[in-house]
Amino acid sequence: MNPEKTQDGKLVSGVNLFIPPKDWQSPTNQMISTKLRFDKQGGRLAYHLEQGFKPGEVTPETAHQIGVELAKELFGDKYEVVVATHVDKEHIHNHILLNSVSFVDGRKFHQPNAMYYDRIRKASDRLCEKYGLSVIKEAKKSRYEDYPAQNHKEPQSSPTVHSVMYGDIDRAVEAAKDLEDFYRILTRMGYRIRREGKYPAISPEGHGFFRLYKFKEGYTEEDIRRRIAEKKVYREPKKVYGAWRNQEERRAYQKRYTGYYARRYDRRGLNYTYLHYRYMLISIRRQTYPYYPTVEQRKAVAKLEKYSREARLLVRNKIQTKEELCRYQSDLGERIHALHKERWYLKQDLQKCSDESERQVIQEKISEISRRLKPLYRERSLCRDIAERCSSVTAAVGREKEYAMRGMAHERGEGSWTTRQRQ
């Protein structure tokens, strides 16, 4: 409502609000009063829309009239709105500010993603055409990706929570005979299910709930129901996870896995920790891990080669503590700095040298230093990653060791691919 942008306040109007001349605080106070009346001061306070017009096509008065009509049509029945038309730019544009709390019943405004296309844009285009103005037929592609574009695009560069969930849904659909069976299978895979609300939602271990209606095509509840119904012949459910063929083999795998951790329980150095973590990831990839892996574990499997390189670095240099890792990083930094310095002086000599044979010798020395630097750069990157992740890796290995020790004391559940009971 800046007076310099709104012709000294002439292009400011209220819908369900009274705005005294040049009293810019009044609409704010009225909106706050509505929130206090219904005791809804938290959450989102207001919504903001911006409506732009083609430069030179519309007068400020007409633009303001269109903005007021748009606000009345969309929100005038229940909400307080301020419409301010700015003329400080080449293109005249409206700012529409909507109180999030209704002055009628106190309900908060909710705007689904589809509302922009279904109501707001259609109403704006219709009003512009009514006044003989042009409208955008095809909007420019935004450089920002919306929620579906970020999480549902194919292929994903690396595993995400969504891509892992879609894989689990595919396996559950293949094994399920109906929708109820589908949800039972997801529960056995470690998911929490919420179906009592308006929108069914699922929650993988360690994450919040995701509503199915937001998933990409083929993964909403209706699509899942259809996919299960379209299976031509119901077969015996496929095994969702596990390399074992029967319960006896499963117990053998479990005994081998828990035995590995139980025997090495006292080896707590950072180098041994990464070896144990690598063993867990290899077991998950081979499906010999005796429990259904979590989302985070399956995302870590995609980085198995990197964890293997880190384990080899720690074992080769006998690094057992964070302090030893810091000292190794410091020594590595000094070696890299010394080589950088040596290469810098060689490059200075190269610029001063005019003899071709001497230049060739210097270039070979520079190339040799660059070759020596490459593995040091890789080690530096691995050390940084270890320093960043070693706490979470140590915690994960600690949990596996505790489960193994308890597993040695008594045999855990009979299910072939159930998740563990987290303590």
Side-chain angles (χ1 to χ4, degrees), residues 285-300:
R285 188 171 68 176
R286 293 175 177 172
Q287 295 198 19
T288 58
Y289 185 68
Y291 315 99
Y292 194 82
T294 67
V295 169
E296 297 307 319
Q297 285 175 322
R298 279 174 283 161
K299 287 169 67 177

Side-chain angles (χ1 to χ4, degrees), residues 337-353:
H337 176 72
L339 289 173
H340 280 170
K341 187 176 180 179
E342 184 180 350
R343 187 172 63 178
W344 185 85
Y345 281 116
L346 286 171
K347 287 182 178 180
Q348 297 301 308
D349 293 341
L350 185 64
Q351 290 179 355
K352 299 173 185 176
C353 183

Side-chain angles (χ1 to χ4, degrees), residues 83-98:
V83 180
T85 303
H86 285 187
V87 295
D88 59 316
K89 304 290 185 183
E90 183 183 1
H91 67 287
I92 296 173
H93 56 280
N94 291 324
H95 291 275
I96 301 173
L97 190 71
L98 164 74

